[in-house]
Amino acid sequence: MPEISVRTGGAAGDGIASVGEVLGKSLSRLGLHVFGLNAYQSVIRGGHVWFQARASSDPIHSQGDNCDVLLALNKETAQIHFASMNAGSTVVYDPEKFDLADGELPVGTKKLAVPTLEIARKYSNQSILQNAAGMGATAFLAGIPFPVLQKALADSFGRKKGDIADWNIGAAGAGYQFAEAHSGANDHAVKPVGEPKLLMTGNQAIALGAAAAGCKFLAQYPMTPASTILHWLAAHSHQLGIVVKQAEDEIAVVNMAIGASYAGVRSMCATSGGGFALMVEGIGMAGMTETPLVVVESQRSGPSTGLPTKTEQGDLNMMLGAGQGEFPRAILAPSDAGEAFRMTVKAFQLAEDWQTPIIVASDFHLSESIMTVERDELPFPGPIPSLYQVQPNGSEYKRYAYTDSGVSPRALPGQPGLQFKAGSDEHDERGRLISDVLSGIPIWVAERTKMMDKRMRKLEGLRAAGPAPALDGPADAPLTFVAWGSTIGAVRDATNLLRVKGVSTNLLRIPQVYPLATSQLVPLLSQAQKTLLVEANFSGQLGHLIRAETGIALPNRFLKYDGEPFTPMEIAQKALEVLNNGH
Amino acid sequence: MATSAAPASGTTPLPVLVGKSEIKPTWCPGCGDFGVIAAIEMALKRLKIPPYNIVLVSGIGCSSNLPHFLNTYGFHGIHGRSLPVAEGIRWANHELNVIVTGGDGDGFGIGAGHFVHAMRRNVKLTYVTMDNEVYGLTTGQASPTTMMGAKTKSTPSGVIEHPLNPIALAIASGATYVARGFSGDVKQMADLIAGAIQHQGFAFVDAFSPCVTYNKLNTFDWFRQRVYKLDSAGHDPTDINQAFARAQEWGDKLPTGLFYKTDRPTYEDLEEVLQAGPAVKQPAGLVGKESILDEFL
């Protein structure tokens, strides 16, 4: 088979994510494209969690829809996921744990009873080993050679050697052999296709991108789904020479990052919507003091604390409006791991070039899913230049000098003779406040306007400097999808499903959501025959922005806000409806 | 991108001592903050720290305008957030002398959370609060240190909350240099601030700095009648229990001077990455570190 999806389900604490990651790693080491979705709840024990690892010899961009092998560690898993089993698929279960009558199985599916508990007991009384046995059976059905699984499993234990690793490998081997002996014809198996591929989460790609861009300081407060950026950079802090600080709250986080940037290092903070809300005043201060700042906002379902472990693109309006008053900013929205890396690098470059906050908009689906990426999708920038931009030349230094671009030469504390004050109050070219005794006096009223104009000129620079909107697929397709961020993955897969059915569509991607490159966007939208806006929020926030900036309305919308990621099939279905009946 | 100015002409300005900037203080005549800025200037001159190696950081409030009035680098940020900015500056470049100034509202009200955490980290900073027991810039509301019963615009029937004790809070939170000055005694305050700047760790100087416009209770005279010096009262600043006991004194007797001093490694001492020098002077990026990708294979 060119493609396989393996789904594992059980309770939190069963090690579901570990099983999924080991299977995903095994598949990526066979040279396959992999996308893995980790679906969990905001509990540490109990509940229902599942992981889908999808692999294909062709590029894939989402978790897909259904599964070919279902490893059910409890009955609830079987009941919930029977509806998602493809024809010909197999459910793996242990009859010692629960019964599964033939009549319960979906039509056209098979079951494989594996004595996972019995296998586990041979090694230890730790019943968690059952999942290793189940994983072994599942790996056999997926066509993963045992040595590949064994290596991936051993690697997952890292430095933790000894009994626990040996028991898991033993149990997995026993499960594998059992499946080999009892499963009959194995028609799910995939074939190795090439060299191992890199496999990472969106958050790991962001963290790696930050390191590659020369980030020397990360401040963060734990919040799902951004926390793993903190975890990866903290684990690599010494190796990479990056100061990583978990602060007391997100207000401290953003102010620390601004302080570090003011003093001359590239700095970043990362959070989700709730923490971003706390950072808002600080982000405005970065805009006013013209301090470079990269902020990662990994969205989750809102409002308020919402669904902590579920995905959404509902924070765009907040990112657009974050901060009192007006200041230049850009919002970059990567769609996969490669883009997450490159756009993080780009965000640092834009922040430094334009001396203003740049937001990288991720979401749960991108941040926490694992996906394969090619090495050439992760270009490392060359040597990172020093941030010292200006040297004393005897003349009066103006930190906020009026320039055509709006960007003024930046001195760093410690440089002799260039002392200036960075102020969050309005100021003149030299940083002297015009907020107090001077406000309202005519020449300073004019100065205020000039300083606002100077800062806002940078917005036009950012509009041209960011990644441009792009149209993928045949230009004359009768339907154009419009999407941003992680939603693009499922749309790509949907366009492939539709193409197989003989339906031509194309995809208009908007990597820089703000400021929109309207001069490129308007012709692309104007040439579209029909459009379908796909967004994971209630009100179609990107659609509103496009209409506000271009006057072009996108009447056909597929909006989803149930917390679950889009699937290719539901998008394809919606596209067919629009082609038949839409505007 | 045209962000580079002309190269150095070869005539680097000579390092000079800290002094006043071209900006005149905007405080009311007679404000206690004049005494504090005089003490800061005196201390910096005495220590001969060049002004380009100093960053004055502040938040919002009358006293938070202070950085503009001296010829150093400065960051005048948003209300209550001066300490996180200052910590970020230190972790980017710990060769800089970072001095944070602000008021009681900025530091103990809106910024109280950062105050506690900066102290437990023992970041090497000097934090000078101009404590006038009132909100001045917003024209006279109660502050966290306003005394019980005091009538202000926001408490017309009198304050019904117990005032915060900055000295006791600082000792409890892990500050390693805790002192109190009084604007009416610039020489003592300059000594305390000089000691704070030289201290290897978080140094806190709470300065009684009367507001002559909005606080008619805690006036210069009111303080003058009550202050006494700890060093002439047999206080041992290395004894944390004595320090706590002195910190509880309020009313007829108000101790000034050094309450507590101890040695503990700073955050910068313990942060592994900074052992290679200031972050701003270290190499950045992943060139030559391509093997980092191996873990994803």
Side-chain angles (χ1 to χ4, degrees), chain A residues 29 199 216 232 236 245 248 251 262 353 375 414-415 420-422 424 430 432, chain B residues 1 22 52 67 70 72-74 76-77 81 114 121 267 283 293 295-297:
Chain A
R29 285 179 175 175
L199 182 72
K216 295 294 288 181
W232 194 87
H236 296 79
K245 184 75 200 96
E248 58 268 27
I251 299 175
Y262 164 79
D353 285 349
R375 176 63 184 89
Q415 290 189 276
F420 70 97
K421 308 299 187 298
S424 60
R430 292 181 50 209
R432 298 175 298 194
Chain B
M1 177 127 310
E22 60 186 318
Y52 53 82
L70 294 174
T72 65
Y73 281 93
H76 178 199
R81 316 302 170 201
H114 309 307
R121 291 178 190 126
Y267 193 92
L293 290 177
E295 69 177 86
F296 299 108
L297 281 173

mmCIF file of all heavy atoms in Angstrom, chain A residues 29 199 216 232 236 245 248 251 262 353 375 414-415 420-422 424 430 432, chain B residues 1 22 52 67 70 72-74 76-77 81 114 121 267 283 293 295-297:
data_model
loop_
_atom_site.group_PDB
_atom_site.id
_atom_site.type_symbol
_atom_site.label_atom_id
_atom_site.label_comp_id
_atom_site.label_asym_id
_atom_site.label_seq_id
_atom_site.Cartn_x
_atom_site.Cartn_y
_atom_site.Cartn_z
ATOM 1 N N ARG A 29 11.611 6.623 9.438
ATOM 2 C CA ARG A 29 12.925 6.028 9.165
ATOM 3 C C ARG A 29 12.894 5.092 7.954
ATOM 4 O O ARG A 29 13.941 4.720 7.431
ATOM 5 C CB ARG A 29 13.435 5.285 10.405
ATOM 6 C CG ARG A 29 13.922 6.252 11.471
ATOM 7 C CD ARG A 29 14.402 5.545 12.699
ATOM 8 N NE ARG A 29 14.970 6.497 13.652
ATOM 9 C CZ ARG A 29 15.390 6.174 14.855
ATOM 10 N NH1 ARG A 29 15.325 4.919 15.271
ATOM 11 N NH2 ARG A 29 15.892 7.093 15.661
ATOM 12 N N LEU A 199 11.817 14.067 11.498
ATOM 13 C CA LEU A 199 10.451 14.057 12.030
ATOM 14 C C LEU A 199 10.413 14.986 13.249
ATOM 15 O O LEU A 199 11.197 14.800 14.189
ATOM 16 C CB LEU A 199 10.071 12.637 12.450
ATOM 17 C CG LEU A 199 8.653 12.443 12.986
ATOM 18 C CD1 LEU A 199 7.624 12.555 11.867
ATOM 19 C CD2 LEU A 199 8.521 11.076 13.676
ATOM 20 N N LYS A 216 19.260 34.431 21.273
ATOM 21 C CA LYS A 216 20.113 34.194 22.449
ATOM 22 C C LYS A 216 19.308 34.230 23.740
ATOM 23 O O LYS A 216 19.855 34.021 24.824
ATOM 24 C CB LYS A 216 21.215 35.256 22.522
ATOM 25 C CG LYS A 216 22.221 35.223 21.387
ATOM 26 C CD LYS A 216 23.070 33.966 21.362
ATOM 27 C CE LYS A 216 24.099 33.916 22.492
ATOM 28 N NZ LYS A 216 24.902 32.674 22.394
ATOM 29 N N TRP A 232 12.124 22.321 24.538
ATOM 30 C CA TRP A 232 13.215 21.993 23.617
ATOM 31 C C TRP A 232 14.388 22.963 23.801
ATOM 32 O O TRP A 232 15.545 22.549 23.876
ATOM 33 C CB TRP A 232 12.731 22.009 22.156
ATOM 34 C CG TRP A 232 13.731 21.348 21.237
ATOM 35 C CD1 TRP A 232 13.805 20.025 20.949
ATOM 36 C CD2 TRP A 232 14.808 21.988 20.539
ATOM 37 N NE1 TRP A 232 14.865 19.789 20.096
ATOM 38 C CE2 TRP A 232 15.504 20.968 19.826
ATOM 39 C CE3 TRP A 232 15.267 23.302 20.434
ATOM 40 C CZ2 TRP A 232 16.619 21.242 19.032
ATOM 41 C CZ3 TRP A 232 16.392 23.561 19.636
ATOM 42 C CH2 TRP A 232 17.048 22.537 18.943
ATOM 43 N N HIS A 236 18.300 22.310 25.256
ATOM 44 C CA HIS A 236 19.462 22.577 24.403
ATOM 45 C C HIS A 236 20.150 23.899 24.747
ATOM 46 O O HIS A 236 21.018 24.359 24.004
ATOM 47 C CB HIS A 236 19.034 22.584 22.937
ATOM 48 C CG HIS A 236 18.517 21.260 22.468
ATOM 49 N ND1 HIS A 236 17.253 20.812 22.749
ATOM 50 C CD2 HIS A 236 19.111 20.261 21.760
ATOM 51 C CE1 HIS A 236 17.088 19.603 22.225
ATOM 52 N NE2 HIS A 236 18.201 19.246 21.617
ATOM 53 N N LYS A 245 14.575 31.342 30.048
ATOM 54 C CA LYS A 245 14.048 31.745 31.344
ATOM 55 C C LYS A 245 12.566 31.458 31.446
ATOM 56 O O LYS A 245 11.763 32.005 30.689
ATOM 57 C CB LYS A 245 14.276 33.254 31.545
ATOM 58 C CG LYS A 245 13.839 33.737 32.916
ATOM 59 C CD LYS A 245 14.834 33.318 33.977
ATOM 60 C CE LYS A 245 14.217 33.332 35.363
ATOM 61 N NZ LYS A 245 13.720 32.014 35.799
ATOM 62 N N GLU A 248 7.823 34.475 35.916
ATOM 63 C CA GLU A 248 6.692 34.352 36.848
ATOM 64 C C GLU A 248 5.339 34.493 36.152
ATOM 65 O O GLU A 248 4.328 34.058 36.689
ATOM 66 C CB GLU A 248 6.806 35.373 37.984
ATOM 67 C CG GLU A 248 6.861 36.841 37.558
ATOM 68 C CD GLU A 248 8.294 37.328 37.366
ATOM 69 O OE1 GLU A 248 9.170 36.509 37.068
ATOM 70 O OE2 GLU A 248 8.524 38.548 37.512
ATOM 71 N N ILE A 251 3.548 38.545 31.558
ATOM 72 C CA ILE A 251 3.888 39.968 31.548
ATOM 73 C C ILE A 251 5.394 40.115 31.755
ATOM 74 O O ILE A 251 6.065 40.871 31.042
ATOM 75 C CB ILE A 251 3.096 40.731 32.627
ATOM 76 C CG1 ILE A 251 1.591 40.610 32.371
ATOM 77 C CG2 ILE A 251 3.517 42.199 32.653
ATOM 78 C CD1 ILE A 251 0.728 41.232 33.459
ATOM 79 N N TYR A 262 16.637 45.056 23.806
ATOM 80 C CA TYR A 262 17.163 46.419 23.940
ATOM 81 C C TYR A 262 18.674 46.386 24.200
ATOM 82 O O TYR A 262 19.421 47.214 23.675
ATOM 83 C CB TYR A 262 16.421 47.124 25.081
ATOM 84 C CG TYR A 262 17.072 48.385 25.592
ATOM 85 C CD1 TYR A 262 16.945 49.588 24.892
ATOM 86 C CD2 TYR A 262 17.808 48.379 26.774
ATOM 87 C CE1 TYR A 262 17.545 50.748 25.368
ATOM 88 C CE2 TYR A 262 18.408 49.535 27.254
ATOM 89 C CZ TYR A 262 18.282 50.720 26.549
ATOM 90 O OH TYR A 262 18.881 51.858 27.006
ATOM 91 N N ASP A 353 15.244 43.986 11.120
ATOM 92 C CA ASP A 353 15.285 44.982 10.048
ATOM 93 C C ASP A 353 14.331 46.143 10.319
ATOM 94 O O ASP A 353 14.626 47.286 9.965
ATOM 95 C CB ASP A 353 14.896 44.343 8.713
ATOM 96 C CG ASP A 353 16.003 43.467 8.151
ATOM 97 O OD1 ASP A 353 17.127 43.521 8.682
ATOM 98 O OD2 ASP A 353 15.741 42.718 7.200
ATOM 99 N N ARG A 375 15.545 17.853 4.650
ATOM 100 C CA ARG A 375 16.656 18.687 5.132
ATOM 101 C C ARG A 375 16.707 20.025 4.397
ATOM 102 O O ARG A 375 16.976 21.068 4.998
ATOM 103 C CB ARG A 375 17.988 17.936 4.959
ATOM 104 C CG ARG A 375 19.226 18.734 5.335
ATOM 105 C CD ARG A 375 19.214 19.107 6.821
ATOM 106 N NE ARG A 375 20.353 19.964 7.203
ATOM 107 C CZ ARG A 375 20.336 21.284 7.149
ATOM 108 N NH1 ARG A 375 19.258 21.916 6.699
ATOM 109 N NH2 ARG A 375 21.382 21.987 7.532
ATOM 110 N N GLY A 414 26.163 50.363 26.496
ATOM 111 C CA GLY A 414 27.552 49.932 26.577
ATOM 112 C C GLY A 414 28.398 50.633 25.535
ATOM 113 O O GLY A 414 29.621 50.722 25.673
ATOM 114 N N GLN A 415 27.771 51.162 24.486
ATOM 115 C CA GLN A 415 28.526 51.901 23.470
ATOM 116 C C GLN A 415 28.763 53.326 23.959
ATOM 117 O O GLN A 415 27.791 54.050 24.242
ATOM 118 C CB GLN A 415 27.747 51.931 22.151
ATOM 119 C CG GLN A 415 27.676 50.589 21.451
ATOM 120 C CD GLN A 415 27.087 50.722 20.051
ATOM 121 O OE1 GLN A 415 25.883 50.731 19.871
ATOM 122 N NE2 GLN A 415 27.955 50.846 19.070
ATOM 123 N N PHE A 420 21.072 57.060 25.044
ATOM 124 C CA PHE A 420 19.737 57.565 24.727
ATOM 125 C C PHE A 420 18.751 56.900 25.672
ATOM 126 O O PHE A 420 19.082 55.921 26.341
ATOM 127 C CB PHE A 420 19.362 57.250 23.263
ATOM 128 C CG PHE A 420 19.116 55.786 23.017
ATOM 129 C CD1 PHE A 420 17.829 55.262 23.030
ATOM 130 C CD2 PHE A 420 20.172 54.905 22.803
ATOM 131 C CE1 PHE A 420 17.599 53.901 22.827
ATOM 132 C CE2 PHE A 420 19.952 53.555 22.600
ATOM 133 C CZ PHE A 420 18.668 53.052 22.612
ATOM 134 N N LYS A 421 17.534 57.434 25.687
ATOM 135 C CA LYS A 421 16.487 56.823 26.498
ATOM 136 C C LYS A 421 15.444 56.228 25.562
ATOM 137 O O LYS A 421 14.950 56.904 24.652
ATOM 138 C CB LYS A 421 15.803 57.850 27.417
ATOM 139 C CG LYS A 421 16.763 58.679 28.287
ATOM 140 C CD LYS A 421 17.589 57.833 29.226
ATOM 141 C CE LYS A 421 18.422 58.640 30.216
ATOM 142 N NZ LYS A 421 19.422 59.520 29.625
ATOM 143 N N ALA A 422 15.114 54.952 25.789
ATOM 144 C CA ALA A 422 13.999 54.334 25.086
ATOM 145 C C ALA A 422 12.763 54.556 25.942
ATOM 146 O O ALA A 422 12.737 54.156 27.102
ATOM 147 C CB ALA A 422 14.254 52.845 24.897
ATOM 148 N N SER A 424 8.448 54.492 26.480
ATOM 149 C CA SER A 424 7.132 54.031 26.016
ATOM 150 C C SER A 424 6.178 55.210 25.845
ATOM 151 O O SER A 424 5.124 55.078 25.236
ATOM 152 C CB SER A 424 6.543 53.002 26.972
ATOM 153 O OG SER A 424 6.376 53.554 28.256
ATOM 154 N N ARG A 430 15.464 62.145 19.385
ATOM 155 C CA ARG A 430 16.529 61.756 20.314
ATOM 156 C C ARG A 430 16.006 60.974 21.513
ATOM 157 O O ARG A 430 16.756 60.663 22.431
ATOM 158 C CB ARG A 430 17.313 62.987 20.750
ATOM 159 C CG ARG A 430 18.110 63.566 19.554
ATOM 160 C CD ARG A 430 18.921 64.770 19.939
ATOM 161 N NE ARG A 430 19.718 64.513 21.115
ATOM 162 C CZ ARG A 430 20.083 65.439 21.977
ATOM 163 N NH1 ARG A 430 19.709 66.688 21.797
ATOM 164 N NH2 ARG A 430 20.811 65.131 23.024
ATOM 165 N N ARG A 432 13.730 62.046 23.606
ATOM 166 C CA ARG A 432 13.252 62.929 24.685
ATOM 167 C C ARG A 432 11.730 62.937 24.670
ATOM 168 O O ARG A 432 11.112 63.060 23.606
ATOM 169 C CB ARG A 432 13.801 64.346 24.482
ATOM 170 C CG ARG A 432 15.318 64.402 24.549
ATOM 171 C CD ARG A 432 15.846 65.770 24.220
ATOM 172 N NE ARG A 432 15.498 66.183 22.855
ATOM 173 C CZ ARG A 432 16.049 67.218 22.225
ATOM 174 N NH1 ARG A 432 16.965 67.949 22.833
ATOM 175 N NH2 ARG A 432 15.684 67.529 21.008
ATOM 176 N N MET B 1 19.300 47.705 3.611
ATOM 177 C CA MET B 1 18.653 48.466 4.681
ATOM 178 C C MET B 1 19.626 49.511 5.237
ATOM 179 O O MET B 1 20.696 49.175 5.709
ATOM 180 C CB MET B 1 18.231 47.502 5.789
ATOM 181 C CG MET B 1 17.630 48.190 6.946
ATOM 182 S SD MET B 1 16.025 47.493 7.345
ATOM 183 C CE MET B 1 15.206 47.496 5.797
ATOM 184 N N GLU B 22 20.372 66.947 29.581
ATOM 185 C CA GLU B 22 19.822 68.251 29.200
ATOM 186 C C GLU B 22 18.362 68.398 29.655
ATOM 187 O O GLU B 22 17.806 69.488 29.583
ATOM 188 C CB GLU B 22 19.885 68.397 27.676
ATOM 189 C CG GLU B 22 19.065 67.301 27.004
ATOM 190 C CD GLU B 22 19.186 67.296 25.503
ATOM 191 O OE1 GLU B 22 19.174 68.378 24.912
ATOM 192 O OE2 GLU B 22 19.278 66.193 24.937
ATOM 193 N N TYR B 52 27.994 55.369 29.921
ATOM 194 C CA TYR B 52 27.542 54.450 28.859
ATOM 195 C C TYR B 52 27.476 53.005 29.337
ATOM 196 O O TYR B 52 26.982 52.134 28.639
ATOM 197 C CB TYR B 52 28.443 54.569 27.621
ATOM 198 C CG TYR B 52 29.925 54.415 27.896
ATOM 199 C CD1 TYR B 52 30.506 53.164 28.017
ATOM 200 C CD2 TYR B 52 30.736 55.540 28.036
ATOM 201 C CE1 TYR B 52 31.865 53.028 28.275
ATOM 202 C CE2 TYR B 52 32.094 55.413 28.291
ATOM 203 C CZ TYR B 52 32.655 54.147 28.415
ATOM 204 O OH TYR B 52 33.990 54.021 28.671
ATOM 205 N N PRO B 67 15.118 58.379 34.862
ATOM 206 C CA PRO B 67 16.192 58.066 33.909
ATOM 207 C C PRO B 67 16.470 59.173 32.897
ATOM 208 O O PRO B 67 17.615 59.321 32.434
ATOM 209 C CB PRO B 67 15.674 56.805 33.200
ATOM 210 C CG PRO B 67 14.801 56.148 34.220
ATOM 211 C CD PRO B 67 14.143 57.286 34.956
ATOM 212 N N LEU B 70 19.440 61.955 33.830
ATOM 213 C CA LEU B 70 20.882 61.692 33.927
ATOM 214 C C LEU B 70 21.392 61.254 32.552
ATOM 215 O O LEU B 70 20.627 60.770 31.715
ATOM 216 C CB LEU B 70 21.167 60.618 34.986
ATOM 217 C CG LEU B 70 20.846 61.023 36.426
ATOM 218 C CD1 LEU B 70 21.020 59.832 37.368
ATOM 219 C CD2 LEU B 70 21.714 62.195 36.887
ATOM 220 N N THR B 72 22.903 58.813 31.195
ATOM 221 C CA THR B 72 23.192 57.390 30.994
ATOM 222 C C THR B 72 22.283 56.837 29.906
ATOM 223 O O THR B 72 21.465 57.545 29.347
ATOM 224 C CB THR B 72 22.892 56.615 32.282
ATOM 225 O OG1 THR B 72 21.476 56.703 32.529
ATOM 226 C CG2 THR B 72 23.628 57.200 33.478
ATOM 227 N N TYR B 73 22.447 55.534 29.618
ATOM 228 C CA TYR B 73 21.402 54.858 28.856
ATOM 229 C C TYR B 73 20.170 54.712 29.752
ATOM 230 O O TYR B 73 20.292 54.705 30.991
ATOM 231 C CB TYR B 73 21.866 53.470 28.393
ATOM 232 C CG TYR B 73 22.768 53.527 27.164
ATOM 233 C CD1 TYR B 73 24.151 53.566 27.287
ATOM 234 C CD2 TYR B 73 22.213 53.560 25.898
ATOM 235 C CE1 TYR B 73 24.969 53.634 26.162
ATOM 236 C CE2 TYR B 73 23.021 53.629 24.765
ATOM 237 C CZ TYR B 73 24.396 53.666 24.909
ATOM 238 O OH TYR B 73 25.190 53.741 23.801
ATOM 239 N N GLY B 74 19.005 54.574 29.121
ATOM 240 C CA GLY B 74 17.799 54.415 29.930
ATOM 241 C C GLY B 74 16.690 53.719 29.180
ATOM 242 O O GLY B 74 16.603 53.779 27.954
ATOM 243 N N HIS B 76 12.607 53.570 29.751
ATOM 244 C CA HIS B 76 11.468 54.065 30.525
ATOM 245 C C HIS B 76 10.229 53.351 29.987
ATOM 246 O O HIS B 76 9.656 53.765 28.997
ATOM 247 C CB HIS B 76 11.396 55.585 30.343
ATOM 248 C CG HIS B 76 10.244 56.235 31.040
ATOM 249 N ND1 HIS B 76 9.795 57.490 30.704
ATOM 250 C CD2 HIS B 76 9.443 55.819 32.048
ATOM 251 C CE1 HIS B 76 8.773 57.826 31.475
ATOM 252 N NE2 HIS B 76 8.536 56.827 32.296
ATOM 253 N N GLY B 77 9.870 52.234 30.637
ATOM 254 C CA GLY B 77 8.841 51.366 30.089
ATOM 255 C C GLY B 77 7.474 51.571 30.703
ATOM 256 O O GLY B 77 7.152 52.644 31.204
ATOM 257 N N ARG B 81 6.559 47.298 35.273
ATOM 258 C CA ARG B 81 7.316 46.231 34.604
ATOM 259 C C ARG B 81 8.799 46.539 34.479
ATOM 260 O O ARG B 81 9.495 45.959 33.632
ATOM 261 C CB ARG B 81 6.726 45.965 33.211
ATOM 262 C CG ARG B 81 5.214 45.900 33.150
ATOM 263 C CD ARG B 81 4.619 44.843 34.054
ATOM 264 N NE ARG B 81 3.174 44.985 34.137
ATOM 265 C CZ ARG B 81 2.417 44.495 35.110
ATOM 266 N NH1 ARG B 81 2.978 43.832 36.117
ATOM 267 N NH2 ARG B 81 1.124 44.663 35.112
ATOM 268 N N HIS B 114 6.584 40.942 40.193
ATOM 269 C CA HIS B 114 7.944 40.947 39.648
ATOM 270 C C HIS B 114 8.972 41.251 40.738
ATOM 271 O O HIS B 114 10.083 40.738 40.716
ATOM 272 C CB HIS B 114 8.062 41.981 38.528
ATOM 273 C CG HIS B 114 6.986 41.855 37.489
ATOM 274 N ND1 HIS B 114 6.720 40.662 36.855
ATOM 275 C CD2 HIS B 114 6.100 42.759 36.993
ATOM 276 C CE1 HIS B 114 5.715 40.843 36.001
ATOM 277 N NE2 HIS B 114 5.319 42.102 36.072
ATOM 278 N N ARG B 121 15.522 35.532 42.749
ATOM 279 C CA ARG B 121 16.535 35.156 41.753
ATOM 280 C C ARG B 121 17.903 35.739 42.079
ATOM 281 O O ARG B 121 18.906 35.328 41.516
ATOM 282 C CB ARG B 121 16.135 35.664 40.367
ATOM 283 C CG ARG B 121 14.952 34.967 39.801
ATOM 284 C CD ARG B 121 14.535 35.504 38.437
ATOM 285 N NE ARG B 121 13.247 34.897 38.140
ATOM 286 C CZ ARG B 121 12.147 35.551 37.817
ATOM 287 N NH1 ARG B 121 12.161 36.862 37.683
ATOM 288 N NH2 ARG B 121 11.017 34.919 37.617
ATOM 289 N N TYR B 267 21.948 35.209 40.031
ATOM 290 C CA TYR B 267 21.372 34.422 38.932
ATOM 291 C C TYR B 267 22.397 34.304 37.808
ATOM 292 O O TYR B 267 22.567 33.234 37.207
ATOM 293 C CB TYR B 267 20.091 35.094 38.419
ATOM 294 C CG TYR B 267 19.286 34.202 37.513
ATOM 295 C CD1 TYR B 267 18.277 33.396 38.020
ATOM 296 C CD2 TYR B 267 19.551 34.141 36.144
ATOM 297 C CE1 TYR B 267 17.549 32.555 37.197
ATOM 298 C CE2 TYR B 267 18.829 33.303 35.314
ATOM 299 C CZ TYR B 267 17.826 32.512 35.843
ATOM 300 O OH TYR B 267 17.119 31.678 35.023
ATOM 301 N N PRO B 283 28.821 34.066 20.181
ATOM 302 C CA PRO B 283 28.337 33.742 18.833
ATOM 303 C C PRO B 283 26.877 33.297 18.870
ATOM 304 O O PRO B 283 26.407 32.808 19.895
ATOM 305 C CB PRO B 283 29.252 32.598 18.378
ATOM 306 C CG PRO B 283 29.868 32.059 19.618
ATOM 307 C CD PRO B 283 29.891 33.165 20.621
ATOM 308 N N LEU B 293 20.439 18.402 14.067
ATOM 309 C CA LEU B 293 19.286 17.791 13.378
ATOM 310 C C LEU B 293 19.233 16.271 13.555
ATOM 311 O O LEU B 293 18.190 15.661 13.311
ATOM 312 C CB LEU B 293 19.332 18.124 11.878
ATOM 313 C CG LEU B 293 19.046 19.583 11.517
ATOM 314 C CD1 LEU B 293 19.189 19.798 10.019
ATOM 315 C CD2 LEU B 293 17.646 19.978 11.980
ATOM 316 N N GLU B 295 18.991 14.406 16.007
ATOM 317 C CA GLU B 295 18.009 13.876 16.963
ATOM 318 C C GLU B 295 16.621 13.718 16.343
ATOM 319 O O GLU B 295 15.765 13.058 16.911
ATOM 320 C CB GLU B 295 17.912 14.770 18.213
ATOM 321 C CG GLU B 295 17.285 16.125 17.945
ATOM 322 C CD GLU B 295 17.135 16.954 19.229
ATOM 323 O OE1 GLU B 295 18.107 17.649 19.607
ATOM 324 O OE2 GLU B 295 16.056 16.902 19.819
ATOM 325 N N PHE B 296 16.403 14.362 15.197
ATOM 326 C CA PHE B 296 15.090 14.262 14.555
ATOM 327 C C PHE B 296 15.040 13.129 13.531
ATOM 328 O O PHE B 296 14.023 12.932 12.889
ATOM 329 C CB PHE B 296 14.723 15.589 13.893
ATOM 330 C CG PHE B 296 14.640 16.729 14.880
ATOM 331 C CD1 PHE B 296 15.611 17.722 14.920
ATOM 332 C CD2 PHE B 296 13.587 16.795 15.787
ATOM 333 C CE1 PHE B 296 15.543 18.756 15.833
ATOM 334 C CE2 PHE B 296 13.506 17.832 16.707
ATOM 335 C CZ PHE B 296 14.479 18.808 16.734
ATOM 336 N N LEU B 297 16.153 12.428 13.332
ATOM 337 C CA LEU B 297 16.165 11.341 12.349
ATOM 338 C C LEU B 297 15.668 10.027 12.960
ATOM 339 O O LEU B 297 15.864 9.796 14.134
ATOM 340 C CB LEU B 297 17.579 11.144 11.800
ATOM 341 C CG LEU B 297 18.002 12.166 10.727
ATOM 342 C CD1 LEU B 297 19.467 11.979 10.374
ATOM 343 C CD2 LEU B 297 17.140 12.021 9.478
#
